[in-house]
């Protein structure tokens, strides 16, 4: 009887356990919740990411070419990609499909070469690594990228964002940190039925060609970009969603301004990157000083009409970049030393708006200040960038001298404080040409003049025409990333992220900005405490594990002795 009762109890326990498992599984299917206990939510997707994948109507296929034997850094990248794809699948279900492929899996050199060629033609860039093995040195080709397919459309995604064939540890970590944005941006791009169009305006001495190459290439991943010369043609901007005017040095004619104005009145967005004074470093290479005069772009009245006064000044900021100055001879070579160049402010961005949130300092050259003007309640004005509290102003005509680096400019005594240099305008704008045209022009059906915008649109104004200019070597044709400091020889500035955020926002792609703005806090150890308590820390690391193991062994021995005594 006792044995039968034991069997019944055992069977009952199994059935109860099975029932609990079924109940938990049903509950799990009905109620989905993921928990992330980190303070910066580093293991969680942004709400915008979840929205994008939950809206998918058909499966997105992601083929990741990060499989096989490779160094630890690349394994970290591979695991991070898989983790994010698993997170996306948790929300999108079967609408996110992925596989990891080893492009070097074949032992046949011909087939391997065919695979490499196919991936290169698809738009993926390879990384050539030199790996030490027992037999010597081995060259390994990796394709740290993915091909993303949706319906009949396929786009490449470079998972490793590196300017070198051999990536640095910093580049690798930065690529891992930006994986969510890069993946979601690619998914957003491949699922769009229409790519928005951007007109990069030229013909007035703007920043174009090699000087704007990196920014244009970056934006071209998500938008269609055309170089456009208006040339006083009424239909020059028809079909575009955004115009970018970067650093015009020549006067924009009234007819071109009228076409730009009407583009905005009909719902188009605009980005004006313009200088208050005309100055550049090339003029200081042959002589130590120059005279900066007011710029000749002819946009003063247009910007004022929309709600921003661009001032004819140049700002000096104690928070600035460094430049090398020749202080004499070192043997037969120039003796170059680095000095702060106050005319190149580096602007610390704030978190008051998605465009500027979590962006590295922005590098500027011969920056001019802005004021917001007008009381139009239809226009919302937001300051995106401003200088540091230690800022000086020089009005036109302003003398700029390299000897400024060796004197005290008087920041503490004469500072004008934080000064706005980038402003966002949102709302229904009034035309610059309202009440200024003849009745014949106003009533011309071909011109279709609009006195006030019927739709809300957005305009951004920055008091630096070269904020989008990348460094390039014209002799070799080499283009460096926007934000690259040619003197420190590393990427330190956030110009590209700031401008890309601005473009996304102006084109109403705000979800991508929120994803890019995800900030993973890097918690550093306190070096001073480590040095002060170095011996105690070493002792704790060595002794504590041994003590813990010893305590566990002692407890187990006591339990066994009591059980079997």
């Amino acid at each position: 009887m006792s044995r039968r009762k034991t069997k019944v109890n055992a069977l009952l326990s199994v059935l109860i356990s099975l029932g609990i498992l079924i109940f938990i599984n049903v509950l799990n299917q009905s109620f989905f919740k993921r928990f992330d206990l980190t303070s910066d939510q580093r293991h969680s997707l942004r709400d915008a990411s979840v929205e994008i994948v939950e809206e998918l109507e058909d499966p997105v296929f992601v083929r990741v070419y990060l499989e096989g034997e490779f160094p630890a850094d690349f394994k970290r990248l591979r695991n991070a990609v898989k983790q994010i794809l698993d997170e996306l699948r948790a929300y999108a279900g079967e609408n996110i499909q992925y596989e990891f492929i080893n492009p070097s899996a074949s032992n046949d050199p011909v087939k391997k070469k065919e695979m490499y060629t196919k991936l290169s033609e698809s738009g993926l860039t390879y990384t050539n690594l030199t790996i030490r093995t027992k037999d010597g040195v081995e060259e390994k080709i990796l394709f740290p990228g993915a091909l993303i397919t949706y319906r009949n459309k396929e786009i490449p995604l470079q998972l490793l964002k590196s300017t070198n064939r051999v990536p640095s540890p910093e580049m690798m970590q930065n690529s891992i940190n930006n994986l969510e944005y890069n993946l979601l941006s690619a998914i957003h791009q491949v699922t769009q039925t229409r790519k928005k169009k951007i007109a990069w305006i030229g013909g007035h001495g703007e920043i174009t060609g090699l000087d704007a190459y990196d920014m244009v290439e970056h934006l071209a991943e998500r938008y269609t970009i055309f170089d456009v010369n208006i040339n006083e043609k009424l239909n020059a901007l028809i079909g575009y969603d955004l115009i970018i005017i970067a650093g015009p040095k020549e006067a924009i004619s009234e007819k071109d301004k009228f076409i730009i104005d009407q583009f905005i009145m009909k719902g188009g967005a605009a980005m004006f990157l313009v200088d208050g004074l005309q100055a550049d470093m090339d003029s200081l290479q042959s002589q130590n000083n120059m005279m900066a005069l007011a710029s000749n772009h002819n946009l003063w009245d247009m910007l004022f009409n929309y709600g921003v006064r661009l001032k004819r000044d140049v700002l000096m900021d104690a928070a600035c970049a460094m430049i090398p100055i020749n202080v004499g001879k070192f043997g037969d070579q120039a003796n170059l030393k680095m000095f702060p160049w106050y005319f190149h402010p580096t602007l610390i961005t704030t978190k008051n708006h998605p465009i500027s949130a979590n962006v590295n300092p922005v590098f500027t050259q011969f920056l001019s200040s802005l004021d917001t003007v007008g009381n139009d309640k239809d226009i919302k004005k937001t300051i995106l960038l401003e200088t540091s509290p230690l800022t000086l102003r020089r009005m036109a005509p302003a003398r700029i001298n390299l000897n400024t680096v060796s004197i005290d400019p008087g920041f503490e005594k004469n500072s004008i404080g934080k000064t706005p240099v980038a402003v966002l305008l949102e709302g229904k704008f009034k035309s610059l040409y309202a009440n200024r045209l003849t009745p014949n022009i106003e009533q011309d059906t071909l011109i279709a003049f609009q006195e006030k915008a019927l739709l809300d649109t957005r305009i951004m104004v920055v008091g630096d025409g070269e904020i989008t200019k990348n460094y390039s070597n014209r002799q070799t044709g080499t283009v460096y990333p926007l934000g690259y400091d040619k003197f420190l020889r590393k990427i330190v500035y956030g110009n590209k992220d700031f401008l890309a955020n601005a473009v996304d926002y102006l084109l109403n792609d705000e979800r991508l900005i929120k994803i890019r703005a995800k900030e993973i806090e890097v918690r550093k150890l306190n070096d001073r405490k480590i040095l002060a308590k170095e011996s105690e820390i070493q002792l704790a690391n060595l002794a504590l594990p041994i003590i813990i193991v010893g305590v566990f062994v002692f407890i187990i021995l006591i339990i066994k002795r009591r059980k079997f005594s």
Side-chain angles (χ1 to χ4, degrees):
M1 187 69 178
S2 176
R3 183 178 296 178
R4 184 179 177 182
K5 187 176 180 180
T6 302
K7 288 182 178 180
V8 170
N9 290 338
L11 180 61
L12 189 61
S13 298
V14 171
L15 292 174
I16 292 173
S17 300
L18 186 60
I20 292 173
L21 288 174
I22 293 172
F23 175 75
I24 292 174
N25 188 53
V26 171
L27 195 67
N28 183 55
Q29 295 295 326
S30 303
F31 302 97
F32 173 73
K33 181 66 178 174
R34 303 174 76 84
F35 296 95
D36 186 352
L37 301 181
T38 57
S39 61
D40 52 13
Q41 297 293 290
R42 66 181 59 195
H43 302 302
S44 300
L45 297 174
R46 298 302 292 255
D47 291 340
S49 301
V50 175
E51 289 176 13
I52 290 173
V53 296
E54 284 184 341
E55 292 173 0
L56 293 175
E57 297 177 356
D58 289 305
V60 171
F61 297 92
V62 184
R63 285 172 289 164
V64 186
Y65 293 91
L66 268 174
E67 194 63 61
E69 293 296 325
F70 33 70
D73 281 345
F74 284 89
K75 288 182 180 178
R76 285 178 54 233
L77 179 62
R78 185 252 184 218
N79 294 338
V81 173
K82 186 177 186 305
Q83 179 181 340
I84 290 180
L85 289 173
D86 286 336
E87 290 281 334
L88 294 175
R89 275 180 62 88
Y91 293 97
E94 296 301 313
N95 279 341
I96 292 289
Q97 304 284 341
Y98 70 85
E99 64 174 325
F100 283 77
I101 301 170
N102 182 359
S104 305
S106 176
N107 293 323
D108 186 345
V110 176
K111 290 184 178 180
K112 191 181 293 186
K113 186 176 180 180
E114 288 177 353
M115 173 62 84
Y116 293 165
T117 303
K118 178 183 176 182
L119 294 179
S120 296
E121 290 175 349
S122 297
L124 295 182
T125 304
Y126 71 88
T127 296
N128 194 6
L129 293 181
T130 302
I131 302 173
R132 294 188 177 276
T133 64
K134 294 180 181 180
D135 301 324
V137 176
E138 177 185 352
E139 292 288 332
K140 202 171 189 68
I141 292 179
L142 301 179
F143 280 86
L147 294 177
I148 300 178
T149 307
Y150 181 75
R151 294 175 179 169
N152 297 321
K153 187 177 178 182
E154 181 181 85
I155 63 169
L157 171 62
Q158 202 65 31
L159 297 169
L160 177 61
K161 301 292 183 179
S162 173
T163 56
N164 303 316
R165 288 294 188 192
V166 181
S168 65
E170 293 80 9
M171 290 271 188
M172 181 67 73
Q173 186 59 49
N174 187 54
S175 297
I176 292 173
N177 290 344
N178 292 321
L179 274 178
E180 182 181 345
Y181 168 74
N182 291 329
L183 278 167
L184 268 298
S185 177
I187 291 172
H188 179 72
Q189 176 186 344
V190 78
T191 55
Q192 292 302 296
T193 55
R194 173 187 174 269
K195 289 179 74 173
K196 293 183 179 180
K197 297 171 66 176
I198 299 174
W200 195 285
I201 304 299
H204 317 96
E206 289 90 347
I207 304 296
T208 57
L210 279 181
D211 292 332
Y213 182 85
D214 190 51
M215 192 68 235
V216 170
E217 286 295 298
H218 182 69
L219 293 177
E221 294 177 2
R222 298 188 307 284
Y223 306 107
T224 304
I225 303 185
F226 296 89
D227 291 325
V228 176
N229 288 1
I230 300 175
N231 290 333
E232 302 184 353
K233 296 178 182 177
L234 286 174
N235 62 351
L237 301 180
I238 292 177
Y240 292 100
D241 301 285
L242 168 70
I243 60 171
I244 297 177
I245 302 175
K249 293 179 175 58
E250 301 169 10
I252 298 177
S253 70
E254 286 300 321
K255 288 185 178 179
D256 280 1
K257 285 169 60 178
F258 177 80
I259 294 166
I260 292 169
D261 174 85
Q262 288 301 291
F263 169 79
I264 295 171
M265 293 307 108
K266 293 168 184 175
M271 181 185 292
F272 293 92
L273 312 175
V274 289
D275 296 300
L277 297 190
Q278 193 61 52
D280 59 77
M281 288 301 293
D282 292 338
S283 301
L284 290 174
Q285 289 182 351
S286 56
Q287 53 189 3
N288 282 343
N289 64 81
M290 65 177 176
M291 190 67 70
L293 304 175
S295 295
N296 187 36
H297 45 64
N298 193 30
L299 291 172
W300 309 95
D301 58 344
M302 173 174 273
L303 299 178
F304 188 89
N305 176 74
Y306 295 149
V308 170
R309 179 192 287 114
L310 173 65
K311 294 189 177 180
R312 294 170 172 82
D313 64 9
V314 64
L315 301 179
M316 300 172 64
D317 196 334
C320 61
M322 308 282 283
I323 61 168
I325 301 290
N326 186 6
V327 296
K329 288 286 188 180
F330 190 78
D332 59 349
Q333 301 292 323
N335 186 13
L336 299 176
K337 289 189 176 181
M338 301 296 289
F339 290 91
W341 183 233
Y342 307 120
F343 294 100
H344 285 180
T346 54
L347 310 175
I348 305 298
T349 59
T350 60
K351 297 182 180 181
N352 68 326
H353 196 276
I355 292 178
S356 53
N358 301 327
V359 174
N360 284 340
V362 174
F363 172 75
T364 60
Q365 304 181 62
F366 303 110
L367 184 64
S368 296
S369 62
L370 305 174
D371 267 346
T372 57
V373 294
N375 297 316
D376 193 340
K377 295 180 180 179
D378 289 340
I379 305 300
K380 178 184 176 183
K381 305 177 181 75
T382 306
I383 295 172
L384 298 175
L385 293 176
E386 57 187 6
T387 60
S388 79
L390 298 177
T391 301
L392 302 178
R393 172 185 286 128
R394 289 190 178 182
M395 302 299 297
R399 183 178 296 278
I400 299 174
N401 197 308
L402 284 178
N403 293 332
T404 305
V405 300
S406 60
I407 62 174
D408 179 11
F411 285 112
E412 297 290 346
K413 185 187 301 182
N414 303 315
S415 175
I416 60 174
K418 292 183 178 182
T419 305
V421 293
V423 176
L424 174 70
L425 307 170
E426 302 174 85
K428 295 182 177 69
F429 297 93
K430 185 178 178 181
S431 171
L432 171 65
Y433 298 92
N435 304 317
R436 293 176 55 184
L437 303 177
T438 64
N440 290 337
I441 295 178
E442 287 186 356
Q443 297 168 13
D444 192 316
T445 54
L446 183 63
I447 295 174
F449 174 71
Q450 198 159 308
E451 186 174 306
K452 186 171 182 178
L454 299 177
L455 302 173
D456 284 343
T457 188
R458 297 167 174 178
I459 296 173
M460 187 180 80
V461 183
V462 181
D464 179 17
E466 297 192 335
I467 191 174
T468 189
K469 183 177 180 179
N470 55 249
Y471 170 59
S472 62
N473 187 327
R474 296 191 175 276
Q475 293 181 342
T476 62
T478 304
V479 176
Y480 294 86
L482 179 60
Y484 176 83
D485 190 317
K486 64 180 180 180
F487 301 124
L488 298 179
R489 296 186 178 180
K490 62 180 180 179
I491 301 173
V492 292
Y493 300 114
N495 296 42
K496 186 190 294 186
D497 286 342
F498 174 75
L499 293 171
N501 283 350
V503 169
D504 289 343
Y505 189 85
L506 293 174
L507 291 174
N508 291 309
D509 285 339
E510 297 174 43
R511 294 191 300 190
L512 293 178
I513 307 175
K514 294 176 182 177
I515 299 170
R516 186 194 281 115
K518 182 175 182 178
E519 185 177 26
I520 297 178
E521 183 181 352
V522 179
R523 296 178 177 84
K524 297 182 178 180
L525 298 176
N526 189 316
D527 294 335
R528 296 177 64 183
K529 287 186 177 180
I530 291 174
L531 289 173
K533 300 182 178 182
E534 183 177 5
S535 301
E536 293 91 330
I537 293 171
Q538 289 177 344
L539 182 61
N541 285 331
L542 289 172
L544 195 59
I546 297 173
I547 293 172
I548 292 173
V549 172
V551 169
F552 272 106
V553 170
F554 181 72
I555 292 172
I556 291 170
L557 288 175
I558 291 176
I559 292 172
K560 283 187 174 182
R561 179 175 295 179
R562 290 182 177 179
K563 185 175 181 180
F564 297 105
S565 61

